[in-house]
Amino acid sequence: MDRIEYVYTVGITDDEVESRLEETDTSVLGLASADDAYAIPVAHHYENGRLYLRLSSESEDTKLSYIEDTNAACLTLYDVDEAGDSWSVIATGPVRKLTGDEREAFDPTAVNRSFLQLRVFDEDIEAIELEIYELEIETLTGRKTVE
């Protein structure tokens, strides 16, 4: 290890973790089904201790089948700046689809205010359905580099 460059990291405070969740728009959601893993970039929104995910779906959507099979998902946020300073936040817990009044609270205006613009690839806009999920936080940790 004497020739491998490294940097020390330390845990960050709960307030720093919450700030990162509130200020960062995107993350990577890790899901699992049997022996297979599936990770996707997602837009998230953190408010009052609750972590929401906006997912788009089409009729044959892989991510939705993985969500159904996943007992505990992992959401990872991270960044590295030009100087090499970095941080990461990891939240784990079950993911559930919002329904009823909870879902109605995310009308189009609330979705536009709460989440990054929807990224559309070669899909037909009319065929895309937006769903809001909550990652029910069981563990929440963060780390950052130190000099």
Side-chain angles (χ1 to χ4, degrees):
M1 287 285 296
D2 61 330
R3 294 187 182 144
I4 302 297
E5 294 181 16
Y6 63 91
V7 63
Y8 284 106
T9 64
V10 296
I12 59 178
T13 67
D14 291 345
D15 287 341
E16 287 177 289
V17 168
E18 286 203 6
S19 291
R20 296 298 185 185
L21 285 166
E22 291 168 349
E23 296 167 4
T24 306
D25 294 322
T26 58
S27 47
V28 176
L29 178 64
L31 305 168
S33 179
D35 293 334
D36 297 322
Y38 188 69
I40 54 172
V42 296
H44 73 267
H45 172 69
Y46 182 77
E47 183 176 354
N48 298 322
R50 297 180 75 177
L51 186 52
Y52 300 101
L53 311 171
R54 183 206 58 214
L55 301 175
S56 60
S57 65
E58 292 185 274
S59 59
E60 304 274 330
D61 206 328
T62 303
K63 66 182 159 268
L64 298 183
S65 67
Y66 272 82
I67 284 175
E68 290 175 12
D69 292 345
T70 300
N71 293 322
C74 178
L75 188 78
T76 304
L77 297 71
Y78 66 95
D79 193 25
V80 180
D81 67 19
E82 290 180 19
D85 294 324
S86 65
W87 61 267
S88 63
V89 170
I90 297 175
T92 64
V95 176
R96 69 176 185 87
K97 183 177 175 179
L98 297 188
T99 60
D101 292 341
E102 287 181 310
R103 177 59 180 100
E104 288 178 22
F106 281 98
D107 64 11
T109 300
V111 168
N112 288 336
R113 183 185 71 248
S114 301
F115 296 96
L116 181 72
Q117 282 183 318
L118 180 65
R119 294 336 195 219
V120 177
F121 303 98
D122 294 324
E123 301 98 344
D124 173 9
I125 285 289
E126 300 304 319
I128 296 174
E129 292 186 34
L130 290 182
E131 297 295 347
I132 307 297
Y133 289 78
E134 179 182 5
L135 188 147
E136 297 175 327
I137 299 170
E138 291 182 344
T139 66
L140 187 58
T141 59
R143 297 197 65 78
K144 67 180 179 182
T145 54
V146 294
E147 295 189 30

